[in-house]
């Protein structure tokens, strides 16, 4: 079940890799310390393209199904539930220990924020749990409305990222949304380019390849059209749309990593205060 790149490395020296309850118990503290308290704010940027997708299409979240791959401890999943309590979701991860922690977090969210709602799903939270690699999900073709991936691509070799983009395309309904949030890349913040790759020395063997990778090209090759791009501190969120037709290789504008092409550069202060980020679309 576990790909070699996943099982054979303790990313950023996380104790036991991702395969123990001890690792899952300390993950949120260790990553918040690693990012100097910025992680929650940067993760929330992933909500922006989903919010715009729901608004622009006039969708009822209660009638949607959204998959978060590599959900980890489920902290971002609770942000999804905060914004759309009736949204039907699947929290997916390779680690049974992290999935157990995700279930605990989503159950805590239910008790604190939606105790009165009948949501169905596991524990009446509206969420199901799925242990699998994002490159091979046990889901039917064209069965979900959105796929969200937060902070996982930089820990995957390039061939696994390509396979994941193809799998996202397969499980999404025509017109569906894929959201990718991860590290900024070369060109996103040019003043960081000389030192950005140093994070790869923190037991991150695929990071230097990732920051030079053309994510837009990877998703276009899988059949997607590029949609939006946001920056928030050291993270970047990209979104992609599966065309309504079923063919591959649809035309798209593509992304550049130049900071001039950023649709929205969200500030941490805006996230912390709950202010809405402003996004200007390009044609």
């Amino acid at each position: 079940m576990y790909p070699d790149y996943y099982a054979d490395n303790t990313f950023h020296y996380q104790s036991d890799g991702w395969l123990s309850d001890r690792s899952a118990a300390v993950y949120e503290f260790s990553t918040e310390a690693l990012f100097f308290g910025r992680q929650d704010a940067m993760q929330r940027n992933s909500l922006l393209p989903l919010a715009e997708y729901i608004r622009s299409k006039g969708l009822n979240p209660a009638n949607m199904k959204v998959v978060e791959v590599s959900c980890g401890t489920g902290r971002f999943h609770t942000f999804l539930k905060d914004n759309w309590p009736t949204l039907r979701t699947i929290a997916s991860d390779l680690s049974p220990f992290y999935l157990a922690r995700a279930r605990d977090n989503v159950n805590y969210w239910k008790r604190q924020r939606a105790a009165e709602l009948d949501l169905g799903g596991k524990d009446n939270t509206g969420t199901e749990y799925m242990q699998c690699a994002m490159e091979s999900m046990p889901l039917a073709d064209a069965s979900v409305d959105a796929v969200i991936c937060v902070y996982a691509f930089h820990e995957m070799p390039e061939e696994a990222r390509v396979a994941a983009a193809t799998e996202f395309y397969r499980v999404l309904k025509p017109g569906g949304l894929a959201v990718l949030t991860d590290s900024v890349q070369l060109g996103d913040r040019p003043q960081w380019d000389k030192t950005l790759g140093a994070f790869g020395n923190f037991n991150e063997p695929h990071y230097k390849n990732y920051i030079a990778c053309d994510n837009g090209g990877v998703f276009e090759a899988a059949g997607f059209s590029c949609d939006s791009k946001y920056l928030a501190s050291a993270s970047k969120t990209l979104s992609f749309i599966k065309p309504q037709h079923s063919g591959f290789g649809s035309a798209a504008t593509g992304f550049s990593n130049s900071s001039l092409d950023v649709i929205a550069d969200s500030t941490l202060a805006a996230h912390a205060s709950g202010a809405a980020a402003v996004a200007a679309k390009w044609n």
Side-chain angles (χ1 to χ4, degrees):
M1 169 178 285
Y2 301 116
D4 289 343
Y5 71 81
Y6 181 87
D8 294 345
N9 192 63
T10 55
F11 293 96
H12 44 81
Y13 301 107
Q14 183 80 12
S15 298
D16 305 324
W18 310 126
L19 297 175
S20 77
D21 185 63
R22 179 178 67 160
S23 171
V26 302
Y27 174 80
E28 291 176 14
F29 176 82
S30 65
T31 52
E32 277 291 0
L34 178 65
F35 289 114
F36 301 102
R38 296 172 296 164
Q39 179 171 257
D40 279 0
M42 294 190 295
Q43 284 187 346
R44 289 191 187 102
N45 228 39
S46 311
L47 300 170
L48 298 177
L50 182 60
E52 174 61 16
Y53 180 77
I54 292 171
R55 186 202 63 78
S56 65
K57 293 184 175 293
L59 299 175
N60 180 355
N63 296 330
M64 297 175 63
K65 181 175 286 187
V66 174
V67 179
E68 184 192 358
V69 299
S70 193
C71 71
T73 60
R75 188 166 178 84
F76 174 75
H77 217 80
T78 66
F79 302 157
L80 282 174
K81 308 296 278 187
D82 278 341
N83 284 271
W84 302 284
T86 61
L87 186 70
R88 294 178 299 147
T89 62
I90 298 173
S92 170
D93 201 275
L94 266 168
S95 172
F97 304 98
Y98 278 72
L99 277 177
R101 186 70 53 164
R103 184 175 176 180
D104 288 345
N105 275 334
V106 172
N107 285 346
Y108 179 81
W109 167 84
K110 178 68 165 63
R111 294 193 302 271
Q112 295 295 317
R113 300 293 183 91
E116 74 287 358
L117 296 181
D118 184 8
L119 299 175
K122 190 68 68 175
D123 308 315
N124 198 27
T125 59
T127 298
E128 302 289 345
Y129 301 90
M130 185 169 69
Q131 185 186 4
C132 66
M134 70 176 77
E135 305 97 296
S136 181
M137 290 184 273
L139 296 172
D141 294 355
S143 59
V144 302
D145 298 281
V147 177
I148 300 175
C149 178
V150 181
Y151 296 164
F153 258 38
H154 74 274
E155 294 185 344
M156 301 166 65
E158 187 169 353
E159 62 271 17
R161 299 194 298 265
V162 170
T166 300
E167 184 72 345
F168 296 172
Y169 188 92
R170 182 188 70 80
V171 302
L172 280 168
K173 298 175 183 178
L177 175 74
V179 178
L180 174 67
T181 294
D182 215 297
S183 167
V184 292
Q185 296 177 285
L186 296 174
D188 287 321
R189 299 205 184 276
Q191 66 272 31
W192 294 359
D193 281 357
K194 291 183 179 180
T195 57
L196 186 61
F199 185 66
N201 300 327
F202 199 49
N203 211 26
E204 291 282 355
H206 309 295
Y207 184 75
K208 291 180 181 178
N209 174 277
Y210 174 77
I211 61 174
C213 177
D214 178 9
N215 283 320
V218 168
F219 278 78
E220 284 180 311
F224 287 95
S225 296
C226 297
D227 180 40
S228 62
K229 174 179 175 180
Y230 305 88
L231 294 185
S233 189
S235 291
K236 174 169 65 175
T237 295
L238 302 176
S239 67
F240 307 89
I241 300 292
K242 178 176 178 176
Q244 288 289 345
H245 62 80
S246 60
F248 281 75
S250 59
T253 58
F255 293 119
S256 164
N257 283 344
S258 168
S259 58
L260 297 177
D261 294 321
V262 175
I263 292 178
D265 189 352
S266 308
T267 65
L268 293 177
H271 280 294
S273 66
V278 177
K281 294 272 186 181
W282 84 60
N283 294 321

